[in-house]
Amino acid sequence: MVKIAPSILAADFLHLERDVKLVNDHADLLHFDVMDGCLVPNLSFGFPVMEAVAGIATIPLDVHLMIVNPDKYIGRFAEAGASYISFHLEAADESGKDAAEYIALAKSHGVKAGLAIDPDIPVERLFPYIESVDFFLIMSVFAGFGGQKFIEDSIGRIATLRAEMERVGVIKDIEVDGGVSSSNAKALIDAGATMLVAGSSVFKADNPAQAIAGMRF
Ligand code: DX5
Ligand code: ZN
């Protein structure tokens, strides 16, 4: 069954406890977006917020590192309570490293290792990591901001990745992030997505529980 991961980037930060508790009983994961203003043109939050959220979340934390040099911080996020940690292939490119290093590091900390790419990176670049990764994160908007419009092309990219997994006989989770709602959830799941991140469509909804239920197909 598909996992729904509300992104707290879209929560009301003056009522963060209320918003986390609102989705605790309905969602499968809590998505936590960390931005450094370098890999992406925006800043978000880090360890103090993460630790506070970890104290009240009853579902696993899914940390999305939109930062350069994620290897510096993977261990601390694991210690702070992350169950899933994703990092960008673009971050590895920038530092001249192989993303395989980040994957191995995350796994050594006992968390699920995810490799993410923005919409302008060819999806074929993920193929060499199918064996080693725990999940892939296909960005369906450019990383950095919540509330952007879903890029339709993402559905085909997910289908391409899924088809390659089937060809090699190794099936891993595919997470999709950006502009996800009940209007595109079915197409994404049909294409092969197994984890849906949703910020605005959950936390800006009148009824977040219903919004989550509306993405399960
Ligand atoms: C964007 C973040 C997303 C964001 C999604 O850089 O990675 O997780 O919170 O927000 P929505 O669902 O509003 O597009
Ligand atoms: Zn995210």
Side-chain angles (χ1 to χ4, degrees):
M1 220 208 2
V2 68
K3 287 186 167 67
I4 309 294
S7 166
I8 63 156
L9 191 63
D12 178 348
F13 296 124
L14 291 178
H15 299 96
L16 194 49
E17 180 172 9
R18 179 201 68 192
D19 280 7
V20 171
K21 288 183 174 168
L22 210 55
V23 298
N24 260 343
D25 293 339
H26 304 280
D28 305 283
L29 304 168
L30 196 60
H31 189 79
F32 191 88
D33 287 306
V34 181
M35 306 179 189
D36 67 353
C38 284
L39 189 74
V40 294
N42 199 9
L43 296 165
S44 60
F45 34 64
F47 299 113
V49 179
M50 165 88 186
E51 280 153 7
V53 167
I56 53 165
T58 56
I59 49 179
L61 293 184
D62 169 34
V63 175
H64 177 192
L65 298 180
M66 287 162 275
I67 65 174
V68 296
N69 302 318
D71 43 336
K72 276 181 158 173
Y73 300 104
I74 283 172
R76 278 187 69 188
F77 278 105
E79 260 168 47
S83 297
Y84 294 71
I85 299 181
S86 59
F87 30 78
H88 277 252
L89 184 60
E90 299 92 312
D93 288 348
E94 264 195 38
S95 59
K97 288 192 174 168
D98 187 331
E101 279 185 43
Y102 302 158
I103 294 169
L105 181 65
K107 286 183 162 180
S108 77
H109 285 283
V111 300
K112 299 237 185 257
L115 186 57
I117 51 168
D118 257 9
D120 59 346
I121 304 292
V123 73
E124 291 76 13
R125 287 209 50 209
L126 297 179
F127 292 179
Y129 304 98
I130 289 175
E131 293 274 352
S132 58
V133 88
D134 290 307
F135 67 104
F136 290 109
L137 197 176
I138 301 291
M139 288 304 301
S140 40
V141 299
F142 281 88
F145 299 88
Q148 301 181 73
K149 192 177 176 305
F150 178 79
I151 299 173
E152 290 291 333
D153 190 40
S154 312
I155 296 169
R157 285 160 60 78
I158 290 166
T160 301
L161 179 56
R162 173 72 195 198
E164 178 63 10
M165 288 175 174
E166 282 171 9
R167 194 188 68 78
V168 299
V170 180
I171 304 298
K172 299 291 172 71
D173 277 312
I174 302 178
E175 182 171 48
V176 56
D177 184 4
V180 175
S181 70
S182 58
S183 66
N184 50 28
K186 186 170 188 319
L188 289 165
I189 294 165
D190 287 348
T194 53
M195 300 159 73
L196 305 183
V197 177
S200 312
S201 69
V202 169
F203 287 112
K204 309 291 187 214
D206 291 339
N207 185 337
Q210 212 171 55
I212 292 168
M215 284 184 277
R216 296 192 192 278
F217 288 94

